Amino acid sequence: MIGFIIFFILSFSFAIYLMRRMNKQAKEIVIFCAIAWIGFVLWIFIFLDRPVSPNLWIAWVIDKLGV
């Protein structure tokens, strides 16, 4: 699991570096960060053998926003 965390941090940092170097818009970088961190959290839940349901998270956000 430590190897996964180190790999994620290194690849995430390299991706942010490349995106900044390519002059991507801030909105694109924020969307990438959000998706990457959600994926990271999901993998941590999988490694810890905990039940995870992204559908419940999405439903919770929709309920809180009142959409």
Side-chain angles (χ1 to χ4, degrees):
M1 185 153 146
I2 299 219
F4 170 73
I5 293 171
I6 291 171
F7 174 75
F8 177 81
I9 296 296
L10 290 175
S11 60
F12 181 79
S13 300
F14 184 67
I16 294 295
Y17 168 75
L18 286 179
M19 291 176 82
R20 297 222 0 130
R21 195 167 167 160
M22 293 170 46
N23 294 326
K24 294 288 183 182
Q25 293 181 4
K27 181 172 52 173
E28 293 178 28
I29 296 173
V30 168
I31 289 172
F32 168 76
C33 290
I35 292 171
W37 283 106
I38 288 171
F40 177 74
V41 168
L42 288 173
W43 272 104
I44 293 298
F45 275 125
I46 290 169
F47 283 142
L48 294 177
D49 198 27
R50 299 219 175 159
V52 60
S53 177
N55 293 334
L56 292 176
W57 295 355
I58 294 169
W60 179 82
V61 169
I62 290 173
D63 287 343
K64 291 298 179 187
L65 292 176
V67 176

